[in-house]
């Protein structure tokens, strides 16, 4: 069978590898002497394996004068290693019929490969090379600087509303490192020296800061031995991995501003401070977001788009994170409509949640949606591998892949009303009006 055909079949099977709601996801985990935590999930239903490594480093771990390093390393560590020539990393994967990728958040960096299961050892070797002796030199740094610049141009500078998160973050946070986004500052990256990049790698890309998560068609005992073969001899970093301990001061009054951007349609964005993920109230707020914008029958869409016709789109998105995050509402008024009128209508929907309990019928619908989303998120090998790593890194408890849904199911209608009153207040929010640049001189 041709490799491309095999890859296509594998990706199709990933989508079909679903789990019934009542089926528990079984896994084995252990710590290696050098500090690496390993999690293994065996499922032999399809000939696929996901090899992943999560490093507990994101943009919040950066020096405020050198932002963008975590995301930069996501790119840089595909450059190769002492044993992998430049540009060859991806070729190993594609030649084996697999795919690979990585992503960075405020809190962690995640690398993964999806491979035919007989290529497990290849994935482990590649990831051990990334951890043990990545190629960090002037050529690679200069190459990836240009890659990051182009990414910023495409995804932020030339993307409608692409700067929203950056504009919100720098107004919502005064002290905490969430005040900058993962892309960081290109000026900081341009000014950084090779020694600074090496120091970041040696500080955060160490065994005691890594979690290996493998899911798919494996034999657990064989996989254990292969992990040890490729990772056991990697020495510890030796120093405690630095963690920011900055607590953002409580916001006591509304922050309101206008941003003029290369857009055709205006927008209104509200960002409310919310507690860290895993905190009891965070589950109620996530269920609240489903009440507001969990589909076209949810309150914001039904009221503001369908009935009042004041919005083209309006959504509520909780940005849960390791430290206290932000709860965003985003609305696009109808053509010719007013952002002020749309904001007032959004506020009115929030007020309804504060004034009255949601009905039992609506509550059950929300519970069903949340439960379905939870199960769907762990319905593929890629989803399981990442969830297991996330639960270990953030909570120290990979078993939450089976149990966290209980925390959502404990949320009551009264909890949803209570968190709306507690967090969705004027003094706890940042409000931005995004307006077309053509209107700037008319204000």
């Amino acid at each position: 069978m041709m490799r491309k055909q095999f890859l296509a079949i594998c990706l199709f099977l990933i989508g079909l590898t679903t789990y019934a709601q009542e089926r528990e996801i079984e896994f084995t985990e252990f710590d290696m002497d050098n500090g690496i935590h390993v999690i293994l999930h065996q499922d032999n239903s399809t000939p696929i394996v996901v090899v992943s490594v999560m490093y507990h480093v994101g943009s919040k771990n950066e020096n405020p004068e050198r932002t963008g390093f975590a995301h930069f390393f996501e790119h840089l560590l595909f450059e190769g290693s002492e044993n992998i020539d430049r540009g060859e990393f991806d070729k190993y994967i594609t030649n084996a019929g697999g795919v690979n990728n990585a992503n960075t958040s405020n809190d962690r960096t995640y690398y993964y490969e999806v491979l035919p299961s007989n290529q497990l050892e290849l994935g482990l070797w590649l990831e051990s090379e990334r951890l043990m002796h990545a190629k960090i030199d002037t050529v690679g740094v200069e190459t990836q600087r240009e890659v990051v610049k182009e990414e910023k141009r495409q995804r932020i500078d030339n993307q409608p509303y692409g700067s929203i998160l950056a504009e919100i973050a720098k107004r919502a946070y005064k002290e905490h490192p969430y005040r900058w986004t993962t892309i960081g500052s290109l000026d900081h990256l341009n000014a950084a020296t090779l020694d600074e990049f090496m120091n970041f790698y040696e500080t955060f890309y160490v065994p005691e800061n890594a979690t290996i998560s493998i899911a798919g068609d494996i034999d657990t005992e064989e996989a254990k031995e292969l992990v040890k073969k490729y990772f056991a001899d990697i020495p510890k970093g030796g120093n405690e991995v630095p963690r920011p301990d900055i607590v953002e001061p409580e916001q006591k009054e509304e922050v309101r501003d206008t941003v003029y951007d290369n857009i055709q349609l205006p927008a209104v964005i509200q960002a409310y401070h919310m507690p860290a993920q895993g905190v009891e109230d965070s589950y109620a707020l996530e269920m609240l977001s489903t009440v507001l914008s969990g589909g076209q029958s949810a309150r914001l869409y039904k009221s503001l788009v369908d009935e009042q016709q004041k919005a083209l789109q309006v959504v509520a998105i909780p940005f849960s994170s390791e430290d206290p995050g932000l709860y965003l509402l985003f609305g696009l008024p109808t053509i010719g409509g007013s952002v002020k009128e749309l904001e007032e209508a959004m506020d009115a929907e929030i007020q309804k949640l504060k004034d009255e309990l949601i009905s039992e019928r609506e509550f059950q619908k929300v519970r069903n949606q949340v439960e379905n989303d939870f199960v769907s998120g762990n319905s593929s090998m890629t989803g399981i591998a990442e969830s297991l790593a996330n639960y270990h890194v953030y909570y120290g408890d990979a078993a939450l892949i089976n149990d966290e849904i209980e925390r959502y199911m404990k949320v009551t209608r009264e909890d949803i009303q209570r968190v709306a009153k507690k967090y969705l207040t004027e003094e706890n929010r940042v409000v931005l009006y995004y307006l077309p640049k053509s209107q700037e001189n008319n204000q």
Side-chain angles (χ1 to χ4, degrees):
M1 183 182 296
M2 297 294 290
R3 286 194 175 104
K4 287 185 178 179
Q5 291 174 308
F6 183 85
L7 173 58
I9 293 171
C10 285
L11 292 177
F12 175 71
L13 289 172
I14 289 173
L16 293 182
T17 308
T18 57
Y19 282 75
Q21 179 180 320
E22 66 275 7
R23 180 172 176 178
E24 186 168 282
I25 295 170
E26 298 179 350
F27 61 90
T28 299
E29 58 183 335
F30 63 96
D31 288 306
M32 300 178 70
D33 291 341
N34 57 10
I36 296 176
H37 189 75
V38 182
I39 311 173
L40 306 173
H41 167 68
Q42 180 174 332
D43 183 309
N44 305 114
S45 59
T46 57
I48 299 162
V49 65
V50 177
V51 179
S52 73
V53 184
M54 182 174 289
Y55 294 92
H56 198 179
V57 54
S59 59
K60 79 168 185 294
N61 299 93
E62 296 162 349
N63 178 341
E65 300 302 318
R66 289 292 182 267
T67 62
F69 266 46
H71 171 256
F72 187 79
F73 266 80
E74 176 202 319
H75 290 271
L76 186 63
L77 294 192
F78 283 95
E79 278 288 307
S81 73
E82 293 176 12
N83 297 307
I84 301 173
D85 291 337
R86 193 180 312 280
E88 294 295 310
F89 196 102
D90 286 341
K91 289 182 181 179
Y92 277 105
I93 301 296
T94 55
N95 288 343
V99 294
N100 72 112
N101 213 329
N103 55 70
T104 311
S105 75
N106 291 332
D107 302 312
R108 93 290 184 275
T109 308
Y110 183 66
Y111 303 86
Y112 68 93
E113 293 86 32
V114 183
L115 291 159
S117 52
N118 63 358
Q119 297 295 325
L120 169 61
E121 195 164 357
L122 171 65
L124 291 172
W125 173 66
L126 291 170
E127 289 300 338
S128 68
E129 285 291 308
R130 199 195 308 268
L131 173 57
M132 190 156 39
H133 35 57
K135 185 177 292 181
I136 300 173
D137 56 20
T138 301
V139 174
V141 166
E142 293 304 324
T143 299
Q144 296 307 322
R145 275 182 175 137
E146 294 306 312
V147 171
V148 172
K149 287 178 185 178
E150 182 60 25
E151 181 179 348
K152 184 175 185 293
R153 281 191 288 267
Q154 289 186 4
R155 296 190 178 183
I156 297 175
D157 298 343
N158 297 321
Q159 186 76 21
Y161 318 104
S163 62
I164 281 177
L165 291 181
E167 295 290 348
I168 285 287
K170 68 185 182 183
R171 291 170 174 84
Y173 295 102
K174 304 301 181 186
E175 304 290 339
H176 194 278
Y178 286 163
R179 67 183 185 272
W180 60 82
T181 57
T182 55
I183 197 80
S185 165
L186 296 184
D187 289 339
H188 291 174
L189 292 177
N190 286 333
T193 64
L194 190 61
D195 284 344
E196 287 177 302
F197 288 115
M198 284 299 301
N199 181 64
F200 190 89
Y201 178 69
E202 292 168 357
T203 299
F204 295 105
Y205 282 82
V206 292
E208 53 267 50
N209 202 39
T211 297
I212 298 173
S213 180
I214 300 171
D217 183 26
I218 61 172
D219 177 277
T220 298
E221 292 305 316
E222 288 181 7
K224 279 184 183 180
E225 295 308 311
L226 286 174
V227 170
K228 292 175 183 177
K229 174 182 176 181
Y230 286 99
F231 291 88
D233 293 336
I234 302 176
K236 284 186 175 182
N239 297 315
E240 185 175 350
V241 177
R243 306 281 179 217
D245 57 3
I246 297 170
V247 177
E248 179 66 24
E250 181 183 359
Q251 182 174 318
K252 296 184 177 180
E253 62 180 11
E254 182 184 67
V255 176
R256 183 173 286 270
D257 210 344
T258 301
V259 176
Y260 295 94
D261 198 8
N262 290 318
I263 55 176
Q264 299 298 316
L265 296 174
V268 57
I269 303 97
Q270 300 174 335
Y272 298 86
H273 290 274
M274 66 176 287
Q277 61 188 17
V279 174
E280 190 173 297
D281 283 358
S282 70
Y283 295 99
L285 281 165
E286 288 198 42
M287 294 187 77
L288 171 60
S289 73
T290 305
V291 175
L292 289 173
S293 65
Q296 294 189 359
S297 63
R299 291 192 175 197
L300 289 178
Y301 193 95
K302 184 177 180 181
S303 175
L304 305 186
V305 178
D306 285 346
E307 296 173 359
Q308 300 183 49
Q309 297 186 358
K310 289 184 176 180
L312 296 174
Q313 185 59 270
V314 58
V315 293
I317 308 169
F319 276 82
S320 298
S321 46
E322 190 171 22
D323 291 344
L326 296 174
Y327 188 98
L328 266 60
L329 277 80
F330 174 88
L332 290 175
T334 52
I335 296 174
S338 162
V339 286
K340 185 175 185 299
E341 289 184 6
L342 176 55
E343 184 192 4
E344 290 172 350
M346 291 162 64
D347 287 345
E349 292 303 318
I350 298 296
Q351 191 60 47
K352 289 178 185 177
L353 284 170
K354 296 178 182 180
D355 292 341
E356 300 176 8
L357 288 175
I358 65 172
S359 69
E360 283 286 0
R361 181 180 178 184
E362 187 176 15
F363 182 52
Q364 189 57 52
K365 172 190 163 189
V366 168
R367 284 167 57 91
N368 292 343
Q369 284 182 271
V370 168
E371 196 166 12
N372 181 68
D373 290 345
F374 183 82
V375 173
S376 296
N378 296 318
S379 65
S380 69
M381 292 303 103
T382 51
I384 290 170
E386 185 167 6
S387 289
L388 286 168
N390 275 331
Y391 284 126
H392 170 73
V393 168
Y394 292 140
Y395 304 98
D397 185 6
L400 283 171
I401 195 169
N402 296 309
D403 302 338
E404 193 187 29
I405 188 61
E406 296 173 8
R407 300 187 182 186
Y408 289 99
M409 295 301 102
K410 287 179 181 177
V411 173
T412 65
R413 295 189 298 153
E414 289 77 11
D415 288 330
I416 291 174
Q417 183 183 44
R418 176 180 56 78
V419 295
K421 290 179 178 179
K422 182 176 181 179
Y423 298 102
L424 305 188
T425 63
E426 285 191 8
E427 62 271 16
N428 189 43
R429 73 182 183 182
V430 175
V431 179
L432 291 185
Y433 283 1
Y434 255 67
L435 301 180
K437 280 191 173 180
S438 59
Q439 296 183 20
E440 188 169 6
N441 296 326
N442 299 330
Q443 301 299 314

